[in-house]
Amino acid sequence: MNILHISASPRGFDSDSYRLSGHVLAHLRTRHPQARVAERPLWSTPLTQVDEAYAVALAGGPAGADVATGPGTLARSDELIEELQKADLLVIGTPVHNLTVPASLKAWIDHVVRVHRTVRPTPQGKVGMLPDRPVYVAVTSGGWRTGPRARNPDFFEPYLRAVLGMVGLRELVFFSMEGMALGEERIAQARHDAHAEVDRHFDVREVDD
Ligand SMILES: Cc1cc2nc3c(=O)[nH]c(=O)nc-3n(C[C@H](O)[C@H](O)[C@H](O)COP(=O)(O)O)c2cc1C
């Protein structure tokens, strides 16, 4: 059992999304004691944006464009895709930034959502090439992201569902902490509720298994 843990908050270990995704991981480790966890901390080792060689190669550019090396190139993308392919489960801890995923997570997405490697274009639309597997998303937001109190559109969850669905990952489970900019009382409540929601999810599933 291999687990890939991606964390995207610039606040790193101190972030609520990291702590919540850590709580998910703790449950998974209980259930799969032999599991190996690959850490992908996008905050401490940010990914370079995809570069010209990558874009040229994906657009069917000159042969050999894919042998360029460097952090933003196809070689990096290969490495990240292999890491993703190896994972039986994904855990993503991330805040919402400007209504959607942070740029650090978007850079990871640009490396792993790759035509002919993880997604096949067809006349009917894009078809995912990865076998489905559970993806647990621990997401934090300063405001309300869902429900009647939300004041802004949410491009985070629909985007992540669409873009990961494009490579074949459809089994997404979201655990949210919302309203984290609304004061200490709200923060405490959101932390309590989200951790309890994770416990409920895994406790119920453990009874079912
Ligand atoms: C650059 C930036 C953009 C943000 N944009 C949003 C946003 O669009 N909506 C929102 O609800 N919160 C937004 N926030 C607030 C964070 O989502 C919030 O502080 C979150 O609790 C941080 O979680 P963390 O502890 O996991 O980093 C933004 C924060 C930053 C730094």
Side-chain angles (χ1 to χ4, degrees):
M1 164 69 62
N2 291 306
I3 301 174
L4 174 58
H5 181 206
I6 298 166
S7 42
S9 171
R11 297 178 59 221
F13 294 132
D14 291 334
S15 69
D16 276 294
S17 52
Y18 184 86
R19 291 200 182 116
L20 188 58
S21 61
H23 193 54
V24 172
L25 269 181
H27 272 282
L28 292 172
R29 282 191 161 115
T30 302
R31 195 185 283 188
H32 308 287
Q34 310 300 329
R36 277 185 300 268
V37 180
E39 293 286 346
R40 177 59 64 187
L42 301 174
W43 46 279
S44 59
T45 42
L47 300 171
T48 308
Q49 304 293 330
V50 295
D51 62 8
E52 186 184 3
Y54 181 99
V56 169
L58 258 66
D66 61 346
V67 298
T69 54
T73 66
L74 288 174
R76 186 62 149 155
S77 164
D78 283 343
E79 179 199 331
L80 294 167
I81 288 172
E82 273 158 36
E83 188 176 65
L84 174 59
Q85 281 168 331
K86 251 191 249 162
D88 304 293
L89 289 168
L90 246 77
V91 181
I92 302 175
T94 179
V96 171
H97 277 181
N98 294 312
L99 312 181
T100 187
V101 298
S104 59
L105 184 54
K106 178 61 165 55
W108 180 81
I109 289 168
D110 288 342
H111 280 91
V112 300
V113 179
R114 190 165 130 199
V115 75
H116 304 307
R117 279 298 306 273
T118 57
V119 57
R120 184 179 303 115
T122 75
Q124 287 73 40
K126 290 180 169 148
V127 175
M129 295 171 70
L130 298 180
D132 203 1
R133 68 208 75 180
V135 180
Y136 299 99
V137 183
V139 50
T140 48
S141 56
W144 299 102
R145 189 176 60 80
T146 61
R149 287 170 294 194
R151 294 287 169 265
N152 297 296
D154 175 36
F155 296 102
F156 176 90
E157 189 169 330
Y159 169 69
L160 213 51
R161 282 192 190 281
V163 78
L164 294 183
M166 219 158 70
V167 295
L169 306 180
R170 297 211 152 71
E171 205 187 318
L172 271 59
V173 179
F174 288 81
F175 300 109
S176 298
M177 288 189 204
E178 303 183 28
M180 302 301 276
L182 303 177
E184 286 308 315
E185 207 175 308
R186 173 61 207 151
I187 292 173
Q189 188 69 52
R191 284 179 179 154
H192 173 271
D193 291 352
H195 281 71
E197 177 64 24
V198 171
D199 292 341
R200 263 195 309 278
H201 178 88
F202 286 100
D203 289 346
V204 169
R205 294 288 297 269
E206 270 151 29
V207 169
D208 284 351
D209 284 353

